[in-house]
Amino acid sequence: MAMKDYSDEFRAGAVALYESAPGAIYKSIAADLGVNRATLWEWVLRDRERRGVTAVAARPGVRSREAVPSADRDERVRQLEARVAELEACECKVATERDILRMAAKYFRGGELVISRFQFVDGHRDTYEVKGLCQVLDVNRSSYYMWLAGAEARAARQHKGRVLAEEIREVHGESGGAYGSPRVTAELRGKGRRVNEKRVARIMRTFSFTGIRLSRRVRTTVPVPAASPVADLFQRDFTAAEPGLKYMGDITYLPLENGEFLYLATVLDCFSREVVGWSIADHMRTGLVADALRMAAATRGRLDGAVFHSGHGAQYGSRAFAGLCDQLGVTRSMGAVGTSADNAACESFHASLKRETLQGTHDYGDAGTCRRTVFAWLTRYNTRRRHSANGQLSPNEYERRHHTAKLTLAA
């Protein structure tokens, strides 16, 4: 490649630029001019020879250091000293950052934030500058100071959170570990505590307070092919405008030790979901469901004019049970064969019962323990357990408020 031809004016300007910049080096000036460093050195050397300067500088990378003018040599020493100081400062900064990160590693175990970065900065601000700590931990300094200013309010919130967590623990324990966040919230509100359900759920997750879940359901309904047809008067509407108008019932199994079972038949009022009748036996004959219906009649005083809905089990389709319904003045109703949704509310009730009494175990133990456990739960269900269908009120409380409202309107 042919060498570029520079004018005398350009060469004179380049030399003047170099000479007028104290401490300048050939490399930086040559880069600004777009010329080779050696070329600029040649121009400066010839200009100095023309002006009678006896000390000459060595051509970069070619001649020995003895040829460098003393002024250039002193300047070079100053530049090297400045560079050394810069490197030492950089090394000190890197060492400081390394120490900060080594200490911070104790606070960030396994990728989980054991303590916030702001708390780390606050705990080490006496040892290191806040600016450096924030830079290393990649946090905004102004955000740190905002966090610091809110320390008092944050401590107050944390204290309130601990108090609420203890209240939640108490309610959760009283429910036998069965309540989830909706019922815990309703229970707290019932005690006059103003609290948000999302906050309750968040605290329950933090402290691992969870409701009990049932892993699977077992169907116990055995349809009877020869039963006379009974109309479905509910059509999946499990609500009622008044107590005593609509009832529903079903059978569920209660597992015992050694693979044995007891069986529970229940009768629920559709208005409040109150259990008005139940029966426990070691068989699933008609007498089981008949005893539950008789208890419902005794609890309510009378059943005449009411509708009783059930599945297509052989017990509910028997002549004996049909005769009892006629005797009590009850109109029977049945869903479609093989469709659990037609009696879903009652099946859901039984699922809740076993979920909250078994609490993840496989059986109730012996028959006596089973009867006592189920009896205690059914009693508490009516008097204290909050029900989502009742606006988180217990069945008894829901009916009491309904009667009070009717008396107020009548007055």
Side-chain angles (χ1 to χ4, degrees):
M1 177 183 295
M3 295 184 61
K4 187 173 182 180
D5 185 18
Y6 296 98
S7 65
D8 293 338
E9 183 180 0
F10 180 85
R11 295 179 185 183
V15 171
L17 178 63
Y18 174 80
E19 296 289 5
S20 65
I25 60 177
Y26 289 107
K27 181 178 179 180
S28 61
I29 298 297
D32 292 340
L33 296 172
V35 301
N36 187 279
R37 182 179 57 173
T39 301
L40 176 61
W41 177 84
E42 291 286 355
W43 293 346
V44 173
L45 179 60
R46 289 176 184 175
D47 181 75
R48 288 179 176 177
E49 290 175 347
R50 180 182 59 80
R51 291 186 287 111
V53 178
T54 56
V56 294
R59 182 173 180 176
V62 177
R63 300 182 183 180
S64 65
R65 291 176 179 260
E66 288 74 8
V68 180
S70 59
D72 286 355
R73 186 166 53 251
D74 293 342
E75 182 61 29
R76 182 61 176 167
V77 170
R78 286 194 296 271
Q79 293 173 0
L80 290 174
E81 289 175 346
R83 181 58 177 164
V84 169
E86 180 183 353
L87 291 174
E88 288 177 346
C90 183
E91 181 183 6
C92 181
K93 179 181 178 183
V94 171
T96 301
E97 293 178 351
R98 182 189 61 231
D99 292 340
I100 293 174
L101 291 173
R102 183 182 294 116
M103 288 185 296
K106 301 176 183 178
Y107 294 82
F108 298 89
R109 295 194 300 266
E112 295 184 1
L113 188 62
V114 179
I115 188 170
S116 75
R117 289 175 289 180
F118 288 155
Q119 288 174 312
F120 179 84
V121 172
D122 195 53
H124 295 79
R125 60 185 300 179
D126 293 336
T127 307
Y128 303 99
E129 291 184 351
V130 171
K131 179 180 179 181
L133 287 166
C134 291
Q135 287 177 343
V136 173
L137 296 179
D138 193 26
V139 296
N140 191 290
R141 196 169 14 152
S142 61
S143 299
Y144 161 72
Y145 285 117
M146 289 179 62
W147 173 87
L148 194 62
E152 184 176 346
R154 186 166 54 256
R157 286 196 302 271
Q158 291 172 350
H159 175 71
K160 292 180 180 179
R162 288 192 294 270
V163 172
L164 178 58
E166 189 58 34
E167 294 176 2
I168 291 173
R169 186 195 304 276
E170 182 180 348
V171 171
H172 190 257
E174 289 177 352
S175 72
Y179 277 9
S181 58
R183 287 192 174 93
V184 169
T185 304
E187 188 71 23
L188 291 172
R189 289 174 178 171
K191 295 180 179 181
R193 188 75 151 87
R194 295 181 62 184
V195 65
N196 182 277
E197 183 182 334
K198 290 183 179 179
R199 189 181 183 200
V200 171
R202 183 170 60 252
I203 292 178
M204 291 184 69
R205 284 194 301 270
T206 301
F207 289 89
S208 299
F209 299 151
T210 57
I212 305 164
R213 303 194 177 194
L214 190 65
S215 58
R216 63 187 182 92
R217 294 162 56 186
V218 178
R219 185 182 176 192
T220 56
T221 301
V222 180
V224 52
S228 56
V230 177
D232 182 358
L233 303 180
F234 271 36
Q235 296 296 317
R236 301 186 183 180
D237 178 9
F238 304 108
T239 63
E242 293 285 339
L245 297 180
K246 297 167 65 177
Y247 297 94
M248 53 187 172
D250 201 359
I251 301 173
T252 190
Y253 76 102
L254 304 173
L256 305 178
E257 57 189 3
N258 301 324
E260 298 178 350
F261 296 93
L262 288 181
Y263 300 93
L264 170 68
T266 53
V267 178
L268 280 70
D269 192 306
C270 291
F271 174 75
S272 62
R273 305 299 171 90
E274 179 181 353
V275 185
V276 294
W278 72 81
S279 178
I280 300 177
D282 59 359
H283 62 82
M284 285 199 302
R285 295 189 292 273
T286 302
L288 176 68
V289 297
D291 288 344
L293 191 62
R294 290 191 184 98
M295 180 179 177
T299 301
R300 287 304 195 193
R302 52 192 290 272
L303 294 180
D304 56 297
V307 177
F308 177 77
H309 184 81
S310 68
H312 269 272
Q315 305 85 351
Y316 295 110
S318 66
R319 291 182 179 180
F321 187 75
L324 177 62
C325 288
D326 292 341
Q327 178 185 341
L328 297 174
V330 174
T331 302
R332 290 189 298 159
S333 170
M334 286 187 178
V337 177
T339 305
S340 60
D342 287 348
N343 203 19
C346 211
E347 293 199 10
S348 175
F349 166 80
H350 286 154
S352 297
L353 182 151
K354 287 193 282 187
R355 178 176 63 244
E356 297 179 14
T357 53
L358 284 173
Q359 298 192 8
T361 59
H362 297 290
D363 59 71
Y364 291 95
D366 58 70
T369 302
C370 177
R371 289 176 181 273
R372 288 191 299 271
T373 301
V374 173
F375 173 79
W377 189 88
L378 290 172
T379 303
R380 188 178 185 281
Y381 170 88
N382 283 339
T383 58
R384 295 190 59 189
R385 186 182 182 278
R386 297 179 181 273
H387 203 298
S388 57
N390 298 338
Q392 299 298 357
L393 296 176
S394 68
N396 284 5
E397 178 64 15
Y398 189 68
E399 290 199 6
R400 187 191 68 78
R401 294 192 182 188
H402 174 74
H403 291 309
T404 300
K406 285 185 63 176
L407 292 175
T408 302
L409 291 175

